[in-house]
Amino acid sequence: MQVIKSTWRYIFEEWFPASGYEYAEGKLDFEYYDERCHGRVDTVMEIYVPVRVRAGK
C-alpha cells in the first residue's frame, strides 16, 4: 500500500511539474488491478491519470 501512495505522490509532486502536462480535473483517474497483482511476488498494477497539455506550453 505504501508503494502505491508513494507512486501517486511522485506523479503529482515530481512528474507533473517536470512534464508539459497537468492533471485534467473532472475526469476519472483509477488504479487497475488484474491477474498480474494477485498472489505474486512481482506484483504489477497500472495507474491511469487524465492529463492535458499545460497552459502556456
PDB file of all heavy atoms in Angstrom, residues 19-31:
ATOM      1  N   SER A  19       6.877  17.754 -16.343  1.00  0.00           N
ATOM      2  CA  SER A  19       6.346  17.441 -17.670  1.00  0.00           C
ATOM      3  C   SER A  19       5.679  18.671 -18.281  1.00  0.00           C
ATOM      4  O   SER A  19       5.584  19.706 -17.645  1.00  0.00           O
ATOM      5  CB  SER A  19       5.303  16.310 -17.565  1.00  0.00           C
ATOM      6  OG  SER A  19       4.102  16.805 -16.976  1.00  0.00           O
ATOM      7  N   GLY A  20       5.193  18.542 -19.449  1.00  0.00           N
ATOM      8  CA  GLY A  20       4.434  19.618 -20.085  1.00  0.00           C
ATOM      9  C   GLY A  20       2.939  19.426 -19.910  1.00  0.00           C
ATOM     10  O   GLY A  20       2.141  19.975 -20.663  1.00  0.00           O
ATOM     11  N   TYR A  21       2.571  18.628 -18.901  1.00  0.00           N
ATOM     12  CA  TYR A  21       1.175  18.276 -18.689  1.00  0.00           C
ATOM     13  C   TYR A  21       0.697  18.682 -17.312  1.00  0.00           C
ATOM     14  O   TYR A  21       1.487  18.930 -16.412  1.00  0.00           O
ATOM     15  CB  TYR A  21       0.974  16.764 -18.864  1.00  0.00           C
ATOM     16  CG  TYR A  21       1.319  16.284 -20.242  1.00  0.00           C
ATOM     17  CD1 TYR A  21       2.583  15.773 -20.517  1.00  0.00           C
ATOM     18  CD2 TYR A  21       0.399  16.358 -21.272  1.00  0.00           C
ATOM     19  CE1 TYR A  21       2.911  15.342 -21.799  1.00  0.00           C
ATOM     20  CE2 TYR A  21       0.717  15.927 -22.550  1.00  0.00           C
ATOM     21  CZ  TYR A  21       1.969  15.422 -22.806  1.00  0.00           C
ATOM     22  OH  TYR A  21       2.293  15.000 -24.055  1.00  0.00           O
ATOM     23  N   GLU A  22      -0.628  18.696 -17.167  1.00  0.00           N
ATOM     24  CA  GLU A  22      -1.239  18.905 -15.866  1.00  0.00           C
ATOM     25  C   GLU A  22      -2.418  17.950 -15.731  1.00  0.00           C
ATOM     26  O   GLU A  22      -2.889  17.390 -16.719  1.00  0.00           O
ATOM     27  CB  GLU A  22      -1.695  20.354 -15.685  1.00  0.00           C
ATOM     28  CG  GLU A  22      -2.752  20.808 -16.667  1.00  0.00           C
ATOM     29  CD  GLU A  22      -3.041  22.298 -16.579  1.00  0.00           C
ATOM     30  OE1 GLU A  22      -2.321  23.019 -15.887  1.00  0.00           O
ATOM     31  OE2 GLU A  22      -4.002  22.731 -17.235  1.00  0.00           O
ATOM     32  N   TYR A  23      -2.855  17.781 -14.506  1.00  0.00           N
ATOM     33  CA  TYR A  23      -3.970  16.887 -14.222  1.00  0.00           C
ATOM     34  C   TYR A  23      -5.238  17.453 -14.853  1.00  0.00           C
ATOM     35  O   TYR A  23      -5.550  18.620 -14.694  1.00  0.00           O
ATOM     36  CB  TYR A  23      -4.131  16.765 -12.708  1.00  0.00           C
ATOM     37  CG  TYR A  23      -5.225  15.826 -12.284  1.00  0.00           C
ATOM     38  CD1 TYR A  23      -5.063  14.457 -12.397  1.00  0.00           C
ATOM     39  CD2 TYR A  23      -6.411  16.310 -11.753  1.00  0.00           C
ATOM     40  CE1 TYR A  23      -6.060  13.585 -11.987  1.00  0.00           C
ATOM     41  CE2 TYR A  23      -7.408  15.450 -11.349  1.00  0.00           C
ATOM     42  CZ  TYR A  23      -7.229  14.087 -11.471  1.00  0.00           C
ATOM     43  OH  TYR A  23      -8.217  13.236 -11.067  1.00  0.00           O
ATOM     44  N   ALA A  24      -5.965  16.628 -15.583  1.00  0.00           N
ATOM     45  CA  ALA A  24      -7.212  17.045 -16.235  1.00  0.00           C
ATOM     46  C   ALA A  24      -8.363  16.827 -15.251  1.00  0.00           C
ATOM     47  O   ALA A  24      -8.949  15.749 -15.193  1.00  0.00           O
ATOM     48  CB  ALA A  24      -7.433  16.270 -17.521  1.00  0.00           C
ATOM     49  N   GLU A  25      -8.638  17.843 -14.455  1.00  0.00           N
ATOM     50  CA  GLU A  25      -9.694  17.732 -13.442  1.00  0.00           C
ATOM     51  C   GLU A  25     -11.043  17.479 -14.092  1.00  0.00           C
ATOM     52  O   GLU A  25     -11.289  17.875 -15.222  1.00  0.00           O
ATOM     53  CB  GLU A  25      -9.722  18.989 -12.598  1.00  0.00           C
ATOM     54  CG  GLU A  25      -8.472  19.128 -11.763  1.00  0.00           C
ATOM     55  CD  GLU A  25      -8.616  20.125 -10.650  1.00  0.00           C
ATOM     56  OE1 GLU A  25      -9.720  20.258 -10.098  1.00  0.00           O
ATOM     57  OE2 GLU A  25      -7.602  20.762 -10.343  1.00  0.00           O
ATOM     58  N   GLY A  26     -11.897  16.799 -13.350  1.00  0.00           N
ATOM     59  CA  GLY A  26     -13.222  16.484 -13.856  1.00  0.00           C
ATOM     60  C   GLY A  26     -13.283  15.169 -14.615  1.00  0.00           C
ATOM     61  O   GLY A  26     -14.343  14.732 -15.033  1.00  0.00           O
ATOM     62  N   LYS A  27     -12.123  14.542 -14.795  1.00  0.00           N
ATOM     63  CA  LYS A  27     -12.067  13.238 -15.458  1.00  0.00           C
ATOM     64  C   LYS A  27     -11.620  12.206 -14.435  1.00  0.00           C
ATOM     65  O   LYS A  27     -11.106  12.545 -13.382  1.00  0.00           O
ATOM     66  CB  LYS A  27     -11.114  13.287 -16.636  1.00  0.00           C
ATOM     67  CG  LYS A  27     -11.521  14.342 -17.637  1.00  0.00           C
ATOM     68  CD  LYS A  27     -10.834  14.172 -18.940  1.00  0.00           C
ATOM     69  CE  LYS A  27     -11.248  15.331 -19.818  1.00  0.00           C
ATOM     70  NZ  LYS A  27     -11.755  14.947 -21.063  1.00  0.00           N
ATOM     71  N   LEU A  28     -11.820  10.953 -14.750  1.00  0.00           N
ATOM     72  CA  LEU A  28     -11.515   9.893 -13.791  1.00  0.00           C
ATOM     73  C   LEU A  28     -10.056   9.465 -13.821  1.00  0.00           C
ATOM     74  O   LEU A  28      -9.460   9.331 -14.885  1.00  0.00           O
ATOM     75  CB  LEU A  28     -12.379   8.668 -14.081  1.00  0.00           C
ATOM     76  CG  LEU A  28     -13.882   8.835 -13.892  1.00  0.00           C
ATOM     77  CD1 LEU A  28     -14.599   7.556 -14.318  1.00  0.00           C
ATOM     78  CD2 LEU A  28     -14.212   9.172 -12.458  1.00  0.00           C
ATOM     79  N   ASP A  29      -9.507   9.249 -12.632  1.00  0.00           N
ATOM     80  CA  ASP A  29      -8.235   8.545 -12.512  1.00  0.00           C
ATOM     81  C   ASP A  29      -8.548   7.246 -11.775  1.00  0.00           C
ATOM     82  O   ASP A  29      -9.532   7.162 -11.053  1.00  0.00           O
ATOM     83  CB  ASP A  29      -7.184   9.373 -11.770  1.00  0.00           C
ATOM     84  CG  ASP A  29      -7.623   9.811 -10.390  1.00  0.00           C
ATOM     85  OD1 ASP A  29      -7.992   8.952  -9.569  1.00  0.00           O
ATOM     86  OD2 ASP A  29      -7.583  11.019 -10.113  1.00  0.00           O
ATOM     87  N   PHE A  30      -7.742   6.225 -12.020  1.00  0.00           N
ATOM     88  CA  PHE A  30      -8.016   4.953 -11.352  1.00  0.00           C
ATOM     89  C   PHE A  30      -6.805   4.050 -11.350  1.00  0.00           C
ATOM     90  O   PHE A  30      -5.859   4.249 -12.105  1.00  0.00           O
ATOM     91  CB  PHE A  30      -9.217   4.237 -11.987  1.00  0.00           C
ATOM     92  CG  PHE A  30      -9.037   3.869 -13.445  1.00  0.00           C
ATOM     93  CD1 PHE A  30      -8.572   2.613 -13.795  1.00  0.00           C
ATOM     94  CD2 PHE A  30      -9.350   4.774 -14.442  1.00  0.00           C
ATOM     95  CE1 PHE A  30      -8.409   2.268 -15.137  1.00  0.00           C
ATOM     96  CE2 PHE A  30      -9.198   4.442 -15.781  1.00  0.00           C
ATOM     97  CZ  PHE A  30      -8.726   3.184 -16.131  1.00  0.00           C
ATOM     98  N   GLU A  31      -6.857   3.076 -10.452  1.00  0.00           N
ATOM     99  CA  GLU A  31      -5.852   2.027 -10.363  1.00  0.00           C
ATOM    100  C   GLU A  31      -6.461   0.777 -10.966  1.00  0.00           C
ATOM    101  O   GLU A  31      -7.607   0.440 -10.678  1.00  0.00           O
ATOM    102  CB  GLU A  31      -5.474   1.786  -8.907  1.00  0.00           C
ATOM    103  CG  GLU A  31      -4.868   3.009  -8.255  1.00  0.00           C
ATOM    104  CD  GLU A  31      -4.748   2.888  -6.751  1.00  0.00           C
ATOM    105  OE1 GLU A  31      -5.026   1.798  -6.191  1.00  0.00           O
ATOM    106  OE2 GLU A  31      -4.375   3.884  -6.122  1.00  0.00           O
TER     107      GLU A  31
END
